[in-house]
Amino acid sequence: MAIAENQKPERRRINPGIEHTPAAEIRRRLTEAECAEADRQIKLIIDDRVRHSEIFKPAAIQVIAESILVQPTVEAVIMEGPPAAAEENRRLGLGVGITVGSAFASTVRDLRGVMAIRFIGQIFSQLQTRYRCILLRALGRRNDTATRRLSVRLHAADSSCVDSLDCDGQVYALADLPILPLPGCLTRQCPCSLELIDEQGHHAGAKRGASGGLTGRVARLFRKNG
């Protein structure tokens, strides 16, 4: 329900990430087929971004995209393989004291080492939020009683792309959740946080005894099913 302009509550700012539902927690509510479809959508985005970045060698696009999918952290992607030789570091334009893995270095074009490192960090941070949005919308396509009781609360930060829309604290039906970050978002790390809530507005945490740990690392959740 819309709030009249003179009745809008004071914006409540939180530390992004405090009130957020990990992707692993959402995945446990989905079927294997639903998870596989969400993974497929993210994989297409990763492949497209790697291809259009023009940072990586054309022959290595699939290699670096796969590394982003399966490695658990940004550091694991960048440090994959034994340390690159000094000559390889110079080829990438990396200064003394910056170490990358030889497997990672072999995928990067000449003099684009710094760009490659920044690209990997950005794609991880941007896609964590996008992946949760895709998973939550998949959950929202169900029509069972338990799912209809769930909603998602958006927590925005001062630097977020949704700040001007005044939707911090907005509650969305799962199927109506926008895919974040919005087009044109300029933040290097998506600051928005998504909280799965029940009909009383309380955090809808995973049930006790559910299998699997909460990693908080988006790449580990992109692993191929099976």
Side-chain angles (χ1 to χ4, degrees), residues 26-43 131 134-135 137-139 141-142 221 223-226:
I26 307 167
R27 284 177 66 92
R28 281 200 290 271
R29 298 174 180 271
L30 299 173
T31 66
E32 183 176 342
E34 289 168 334
C35 288
E37 174 57 22
D39 292 349
R40 184 191 68 81
Q41 293 182 45
I42 283 293
K43 290 170 184 177
Y131 188 55
I134 291 173
L135 290 171
R137 284 166 65 101
L139 186 62
R141 285 193 287 271
R142 294 182 176 180
L221 305 174
R223 292 184 187 276
K224 291 185 173 67
N225 289 290

Side-chain angles (χ1 to χ4, degrees), residues 12 14 17-26 28-29 132 136 149-155 171 193-207 214:
R12 179 173 65 91
I14 65 166
I18 289 180
E19 299 181 69
H20 105 149
T21 302
E25 186 176 313
I26 307 167
R28 281 200 290 271
R29 298 174 180 271
R132 290 187 186 93
L136 288 166
R149 292 173 178 168
L150 298 174
S151 303
V152 59
R153 181 183 289 127
L154 171 65
H155 298 287
V171 174
S193 184
L194 301 169
E195 182 188 11
L196 188 64
I197 59 175
D198 59 25
E199 53 192 347
Q200 282 78 42
H202 300 143
H203 183 86
K207 294 181 179 179
L214 302 182

Side-chain angles (χ1 to χ4, degrees), residues 13-76:
R13 290 300 182 190
I14 65 166
N15 180 13
I18 289 180
E19 299 181 69
H20 105 149
T21 302
E25 186 176 313
I26 307 167
R27 284 177 66 92
R28 281 200 290 271
R29 298 174 180 271
L30 299 173
T31 66
E32 183 176 342
E34 289 168 334
C35 288
E37 174 57 22
D39 292 349
R40 184 191 68 81
Q41 293 182 45
I42 283 293
K43 290 170 184 177
L44 288 175
I45 295 171
I46 291 175
D47 184 76
D48 182 69
R49 291 194 183 182
V50 171
R51 191 175 304 279
H52 286 88
S53 70
E54 299 186 348
I55 294 172
F56 302 93
K57 298 175 181 178
I61 287 175
Q62 290 300 318
V63 174
I64 192 63
E66 182 67 15
S67 181
I68 293 170
L69 293 174
V70 303
Q71 293 295 347
T73 65
V74 174
E75 293 78 11

Side-chain angles (χ1 to χ4, degrees), residues 84 87-94 100-101 104-114:
E87 182 180 346
E88 187 73 338
N89 266 22
R90 287 193 293 271
R91 180 185 70 80
L92 299 181
L94 297 175
V100 297
F104 174 74
S106 67
T107 67
V108 182
R109 292 184 175 186
D110 293 355
L111 301 177
R112 302 197 181 179
V114 173

